[in-house]
Amino acid sequence: MKKFFLFLYLFSFLVTVFVFVLANAMTTELTPTSRSGNGNPFIFFLMFTQPFILFFLYGTVEYSMRWLVTLTNRSIQLCAILSISAAALIFALTLWQVSRMRDEILRVNDTFTSLSQVGFLNVYTNNLFFNAYTLAMMVLLCCFIGCICALFIKKRTMKQNNNNINLIK
């Protein structure tokens, strides 16, 4: 069963990477004559690959938790702080880039009259949301969740060990 889980995890990783590459490929170039009247065709493809992406995220939490349980509590806490800090930095930089891109869309494309008409996720910003940085952010968030789970597991096993020692006395 472990081999099947690993195979499924690796396959889900490949599908996830493929989805991120495809999202970048389907990004429409922003020009004064470009229009986005057909919506975002990538979103339709994303619906069918969602189970694989979710399994990849679950597998990342599971494997990081299994690895982190072998470390000390201090190392797990350090890993949690680093992973959430790096994920927050990537998130902030992504929002900043999207904000700049929305301003650029408003400036270049004359079909929009106000910034409220330009959504965050559109055919011009696919490459900002679906790139290697946001994939890394997702993995870092999964590692953070794995850190929290590992700390709870270590706490529970320490409590059980203390109870067993008290029973022996």
Side-chain angles (χ1 to χ4, degrees):
M1 192 66 176
K2 289 181 183 181
K3 289 181 183 180
F4 179 71
F5 186 83
L6 180 62
F7 170 77
L8 199 56
Y9 176 72
L10 293 176
F11 180 74
S12 296
F13 170 73
L14 292 175
V15 168
T16 303
V17 169
F18 175 72
V19 165
F20 275 76
V21 170
L22 184 65
N24 276 322
M26 294 185 96
T27 300
T28 304
E29 188 175 330
L30 180 63
T31 62
T33 59
S34 65
R35 301 290 182 256
S36 62
N38 291 334
N40 193 342
F42 170 71
I43 301 298
F44 183 72
F45 180 74
L46 186 62
M47 291 185 325
F48 295 109
T49 57
Q50 193 69 30
F52 294 104
I53 296 170
L54 292 174
F55 186 80
F56 167 69
L57 297 176
Y58 166 74
T60 304
V61 170
E62 182 72 27
Y63 280 124
S64 65
M65 181 185 61
R66 288 181 189 180
W67 175 69
L68 287 164
V69 166
T70 63
L71 301 177
T72 63
N73 283 351
R74 188 61 119 195
S75 298
I76 296 171
Q77 291 169 350
L78 179 64
C79 182
I81 290 169
L82 291 176
S83 61
I84 197 68
S85 299
L89 178 66
I90 292 171
F91 180 75
L93 289 174
T94 300
L95 285 182
W96 177 68
Q97 287 177 334
V98 169
S99 176
R100 284 187 33 219
M101 181 57 117
R102 289 177 69 207
D103 292 337
E104 182 70 13
I105 291 169
L106 186 62
R107 187 184 67 76
V108 170
N109 197 327
D110 60 350
T111 59
F112 299 111
T113 57
S114 74
L115 197 57
S116 64
Q117 294 176 323
V118 183
F120 275 89
L121 184 61
N122 58 59
V123 293
Y124 304 115
T125 59
N126 280 346
N127 62 347
L128 298 177
F129 284 107
F130 298 97
N131 57 31
Y133 294 118
T134 52
L135 180 61
M137 180 181 68
M138 287 181 5
V139 170
L140 287 167
L141 288 174
C142 289
C143 287
F144 175 74
I145 294 168
C147 289
I148 301 302
C149 292
L151 285 171
F152 279 125
I153 288 172
K154 286 186 76 107
K155 183 178 179 180
R156 186 178 60 202
T157 56
M158 292 263 302
K159 199 179 277 188
Q160 287 175 348
N161 289 343
N162 287 340
N163 288 343
N164 289 344
I165 290 173
N166 289 338
L167 288 175
I168 295 172
K169 290 180 182 180

